Amino acid sequence: MKFQALMIPVGLMAGAFVLVAAEKGESSWKKQVATSDFLTEGASAGDIDGDGKIDLVAGAFWFKGPDFKQRQQFREGGVADVKTYQEDSFLSWVDDLNGDGKNDILMASHPGKNLTLYLNSGKPGMWSAHVVMTEAATESPLWMDLDGDGKKELICMQGGKFGYAEVDWNNVTKPWKFIAISEKRTDTPYIHGLGVGDLNGDKKPDILAKDGWFEQPSDHDGKWIWHPVEFSGPGGSQMLVFDADGDGDNDIVTSWNAHGYGLAWFENTPKQDAIEWVKHEILPEDPNKTGVGGLQFSQLHSLEMADFNGDGRMDFVTGKRFLAHNGHDPGTADPALTVVFLNQKSDDGVQWKPVIIDPDTGVGCQVVATDINGDHQPDIVVGNKKGLTIFTNPSM
């Protein structure tokens, strides 16, 4: 594949107008704006109506695939002003929780507030709403299988403690049981940086935080062991766990500051009975400096991994969360970039090649990487203050 340089103005940095260079493929990603309405801080994707096509969820609406031109409202809510927040829709997930064969919608509201399950009625109109948690803290809770039983849990914080919420699968609408794995660590729900993945190679997912990781015990009721590591300073967003350098163990990719600058990957380097984490900078914390491809941007509030170019190596997507704090963050006036970082092998193990797929969308609190059109390639969905946007993979 050939690349051409893409130069994009990113505003004033250190008193000078700066251009950043990145890489763009011969075939551009196709952009489709389903709506420019501010409906959600983070969109999700899944088959809502059971027709085998992927639909999109943004706030109080789901958008019917494959063209996403038809929207249907399933709960109370509407369009918000971009200078505010969508309080009831920060992140969401599409999944069949009650086992009736129809995908439901699980939605996290403002950090530290309600987690609500909307059961798919299969009919037009409002779905039944069930508040299953009254506090689901951190800025990026995760919905995934933590204990390997084939059922998912919500990884989050509650009462200042890290942990996860278990579902009563016989009655999914009952309040979910939160299981703490730590002592109280904070008085705020606005903790940035959370991830899940097997870090020590024991086949059990561990839980990551901005300042370390919790090792999952061998038995369900055992004590989670805390390993302090400075992964992301002020705290980023979703912390990705995958084998970046192809050496057989899992590494970590995380932004440094969700409302500032910085992006890095941490190399998993086993040392006897411990793990040494070697930090490799992708984008610097200093706003006046540039990183790979001459690139720099702020507000990296969501990340997601996928093999975007089909080379067998895991890549990731991130970007700028447009108007994250309503215009009060560093670099807020710079373009809302959406960027794929391609993972390419080098003599040092990894070379990250940025591909700016769009200069005017960014990301939200959540960015989705999944096959939208059925061509077996991961596409990208963004829901944020710019609206609801789909990027179709150009077969890089």
Side-chain angles (χ1 to χ4, degrees), residues 10 42 56 74 85 124 142 167 179 229 233 251 257 268 276 285 295 325 350 362 384:
V10 296
L56 304 181
F74 67 92
Y85 298 101
L142 300 167
V167 185
I179 299 175
V229 185
D251 309 296
N257 184 350
N268 185 334
E276 178 180 329
E285 302 157 36
L295 187 65
H325 282 162
V350 177
N384 63 2

Side-chain angles (χ1 to χ4, degrees), residues 299-314:
Q299 321 306 312
L300 288 74
H301 209 293
S302 61
L303 287 84
E304 185 59 280
M305 57 188 179
D307 180 5
F308 287 108
N309 59 0
D311 65 353
R313 296 174 71 89
M314 194 64 72

Side-chain angles (χ1 to χ4, degrees), residues 192 234-237 255-261 298-301 321 324 329:
H192 290 77
S237 51
S255 56
W256 179 259
N257 184 350
H259 298 287
Y261 295 83
S298 64
Q299 321 306 312
L300 288 74
H301 209 293
R321 182 183 168 197
D329 289 310

Side-chain angles (χ1 to χ4, degrees), residues 15 19 47 56 59 64 66 77 91 97 105 130 135 141 160 180 188 218-219 227 230 245-246 250 320 352 364 377 385:
L19 293 177
D47 183 4
L56 304 181
K64 182 175 173 58
L91 301 95
L97 274 82
I105 297 171
H130 306 270
E135 182 189 356
T188 176
S218 57
D219 62 280
H227 301 273
E230 188 179 32
D245 53 8
N250 281 327
K320 178 194 190 71
W352 297 103
Q377 297 184 112
K385 294 181 179 181

Side-chain angles (χ1 to χ4, degrees), residues 119-132:
L119 291 179
N120 188 341
S121 67
K123 302 175 183 179
M126 301 296 107
W127 297 1
S128 62
H130 306 270
V131 176
V132 292

